Amino acid sequence: MLKQPYLLFLGDAPDALAAKVAQGIKDWRPDASVGQMRLEGCNADMDMPDMNVAEAVAAGAKTLVIGVANRGGLISDVWMDVLVEVMENGMDIAAGLHTLLKDQPRLVEAAERTGQSLFDVRLPQVQYPIGDGKPRTGKRILAVGTDCSCGKMYTACAMEKEMRDRGMKATFRATGQTGILVTGEGVPLDAVIADFMAGAVETLTPNNDEDHWDLIEGQGSLFHPSYSGVTMALIHGGQPDYLVLCHEPTRTHMRGLPHYTSPGLAALRPLAEELAKVVNPNVKSMAISVNTQHMSDDEAKAYLAEVEAEMGLPTTDPFRYGAGKLVDALG
Amino acid sequence: MLKQPYLLFLGDAPDALAAKVAQGIKDWRPDASVGQMRLEGCNADMDMPDMNVAEAVAAGAKTLVIGVANRGGLISDVWMDVLVEVMENGMDIAAGLHTLLKDQPRLVEAAERTGQSLFDVRLPQVQYPIGDGKPRTGKRILAVGTDCSCGKMYTACAMEKEMRDRGMKATFRATGQTGILVTGEGVPLDAVIADFMAGAVETLTPNNDEDHWDLIEGQGSLFHPSYSGVTMALIHGGQPDYLVLCHEPTRTHMRGLPHYTSPGLAALRPLAEELAKVVNPNVKSMAISVNTQHMSDDEAKAYLAEVEAEMGLPTTDPFRYGAGKLVDALG
């Protein structure tokens, strides 16, 4: 579990997209960070106070979170100097980079010397059990998608926010590195060993109050041949009471696979329900979440109305229009 | 890849069941082993020549395969003395034990000293790629089950044997530790990291001659919440042209999960086909393989006839009655 508050490190992010991890933290945990740190050449801005190390420490920052994708997978010398200085001033470092912090000798040396921690959130930190499929108390909602990267994390985060705003007990359960950095804990499911995937998800979503809601971040898609096994483990390990079906309508092919197209929402619904019924016979699809970022407002509204009519489920883009409609769907 | 021929190590197996790995090798690769090695108290017998280390070396054995499940997960001192002696006489050691060979200091020391290899077939030996779902040449048959441990490996092995006997090009593709020891290579799928499961299966079943058949060992079950993600990765990574549906009719609950019962063959067929169609629109269920070991001959025959009539697919127990009917189903 990461110590908050964070200092968001944007480094020399060439553009806003490179800083999407920082953006996710800003969007969903606006109070989690005391400020941002930008180096020369940074073209991203979270609209937060710019801080150097001393200022961040004075503001109470406990963990520097690398909120930027690094170029070419390397940690540059410029970054390295800052990261060492941060640890020397009493802060931990957390990152979801492909290049691991723990594989950088300078960082490992500094961590040992200062007693600070390096968190590579792509790596599991514990040994998970084998799943047992036993019914658990509390309620669970899982986001499942027609493809990878179609808005499952944002959907779960937006529903958590809306539910908390309504005074409901709700917890976003992160299963990917960005989600883990956003909320400070979770399971990096794609890095878990096959036999323990379902058990890891069970561990992430334990028994809870009967009126508590887990909002489980989905991964991959049943229709994405590279990652469908991870999706399957989420469906059975997560034991959802409700499914939110997620879709990005402008995709011409499955992410990263030009030779595959998604069969879409109408095919996803019965398949996901049938599989989820193995562990929870009462599971229902409750609503549809569409990522309309590549559509105009008119196009988006027309598309959402069309899907809602075709599928017979409340449909919205929770990032664009709020998650109220999704939470209302719980009745 | 393990060097053959093998010396089958039965150790102090308390009964025949404890030596089921050795039995699998004996059944499916009868020419792979020069003999067996039994220690005091061994109650298993593969009906092969008993050999000491010198005799095995003289007979040409290249690898001692631990064909017995060890008690309590430990490698006893009695075993250890033999294993070290074996390496000192020029043989490798292979095992699928929970207790890893590479975690035993005496064995590691002996391997380094002698230049022999220790193969823990539960552990992946290479870094697998992420799957890409691209169509591959050659034909593939995947065994899928209503539960774990219902005869998927035996079905694939029996079909390989029958196909080879008929002069067809056929290769059993192992995905579990027993299968890997039987055939000398494969992917220990349940120990692969989630993101690489489908890619590992693609690597295992590469492009091949158009008239070549891969017989892919299944794992887990779509209905088994602990391991369904592994099954899913096999269906999408294996890209099967045909499915063989495997079933053990005397089970009262899912293996290891007293609170789950399997929905059975009638539910498995459409679900497995729909999922397999994501990567191969022409996939078909071709036949049904039933494990009738807990039934009398009369019961078995009656049950097979009943399933065949209900499901409309050729149905047999390939271990009991041969795999001819399964291979005939290919037309």
Side-chain angles (χ1 to χ4, degrees), chain A residues 131-133 192 194 226 228 236 259-260, chain B residues 131-133 192 194 226 228 236 259-260:
Chain A
D132 63 18
V192 171
S226 311
S228 52
H236 283 173
H259 43 305
Y260 280 90
Chain B
D132 64 18
V192 172
S226 311
S228 53
H236 283 172
H259 43 305
Y260 279 90

Side-chain angles (χ1 to χ4, degrees), chain A residues 184-197:
Chain A
E185 60 187 323
V187 167
L189 192 57
D190 59 13
V192 171
I193 288 174
D195 247 2
F196 305 101
M197 294 186 297

Side-chain angles (χ1 to χ4, degrees), chain A:
Chain A
M1 194 190 250
L2 310 180
K3 288 185 208 153
Q4 293 185 346
Y6 298 154
L7 171 65
L8 289 184
F9 180 75
L10 307 188
D12 42 5
D15 53 30
L17 197 62
K20 68 175 186 174
V21 170
Q23 188 67 52
I25 297 172
K26 164 81 186 312
D27 288 340
W28 301 117
R29 292 292 185 265
D31 302 328
S33 310
V34 296
Q36 64 186 3
M37 175 182 280
R38 300 191 292 171
L39 305 181
E40 198 176 311
C42 182
N43 291 315
D45 185 359
M46 293 302 123
D47 196 19
M48 298 176 122
D50 281 297
M51 294 182 172
N52 60 27
V53 176
E55 290 163 337
V57 170
K62 297 280 190 293
T63 303
L64 177 143
V65 174
I66 297 184
V68 53
N70 52 344
R71 303 187 214 193
L74 298 171
I75 297 180
S76 70
D77 288 342
V78 183
W79 282 28
M80 201 64 83
D81 293 340
V82 177
L83 299 182
V84 169
E85 185 190 350
V86 154
M87 282 192 278
E88 287 169 343
N89 284 273
M91 291 167 63
D92 295 334
I93 300 177
L97 303 172
H98 277 288
T99 310
L100 299 177
L101 300 172
K102 76 169 184 60
D103 288 342
Q104 311 300 316
R106 272 192 72 192
L107 297 183
V108 172
E109 182 278 324
E112 283 170 3
R113 176 162 50 82
T114 62
Q116 299 305 129
S117 299
L118 299 171
F119 292 99
D120 285 299
V121 301
R122 272 183 194 269
L123 298 184
Q125 305 295 317
V126 297
Q127 170 67 55
Y128 299 108
I130 287 175
D132 63 18
K134 287 190 185 153
R136 306 196 287 290
T137 52
K139 295 289 185 186
R140 286 162 194 84
I141 300 176
L142 173 66
V144 294
T146 54
D147 194 0
C148 299
S149 307
C150 65
K152 295 184 286 290
M153 187 193 92
Y154 265 59
T155 299
C157 286
M159 289 187 72
E160 182 208 49
K161 181 175 186 306
E162 176 71 18
M163 291 173 121
R164 288 187 175 184
D165 287 350
R166 296 186 187 190
M168 300 165 74
K169 298 179 194 168
T171 309
F172 166 64
R173 299 297 190 183
T175 60
Q177 66 266 15
T178 302
I180 295 171
L181 291 173
V182 164
T183 196
E185 60 187 323
V187 167
L189 192 57
D190 59 13
V192 171
I193 288 174
D195 247 2
F196 305 101
M197 294 186 297
V201 181
E202 292 181 358
T203 302
L204 180 68
T205 58
N207 282 319
N208 216 317
D209 297 344
E210 283 301 350
D211 60 346
H212 178 276
W213 296 85
D214 276 336
L215 287 309
I216 310 173
E217 180 187 2
Q219 294 292 333
S221 168
L222 291 169
F223 301 135
H224 196 297
S226 311
Y227 307 116
S228 52
V230 179
T231 311
M232 184 75 262
L234 268 162
I235 291 174
H236 283 173
Q239 212 171 87
D241 300 281
Y242 294 97
L243 302 171
V244 179
L245 312 178
C246 300
H247 187 52
E248 206 289 44
T250 69
R251 293 272 168 85
T252 55
H253 60 75
M254 296 294 281
R255 189 169 167 85
L257 302 179
H259 43 305
Y260 280 90
T261 51
S262 172
L265 286 163
L268 175 63
R269 182 180 181 173
L271 184 60
E273 287 177 1
E274 184 174 356
L275 289 165
K277 279 178 184 163
V278 169
V279 289
N280 186 345
N282 299 316
V283 64
K284 288 184 184 64
S285 296
M286 58 174 280
I288 294 170
S289 173
V290 181
N291 176 348
T292 63
Q293 65 175 319
H294 298 301
M295 297 172 135
S296 71
D297 188 57
D298 283 351
E299 283 172 337
K301 285 178 174 157
Y303 182 80
L304 294 172
E306 185 189 322
V307 170
E308 185 161 299
E310 274 176 22
M311 296 287 297
L313 288 173
T315 302
T316 192
D317 180 337
F319 190 67
R320 194 166 191 166
Y321 304 117
K325 196 164 186 172
L326 301 181
V327 178
D328 288 346
L330 292 169

Side-chain angles (χ1 to χ4, degrees), chain B residues 154-166:
Chain B
Y154 265 59
T155 299
C157 286
M159 289 188 71
E160 182 208 49
K161 181 175 186 306
E162 176 69 19
M163 290 173 123
R164 288 187 175 183
D165 286 349
R166 295 186 188 191

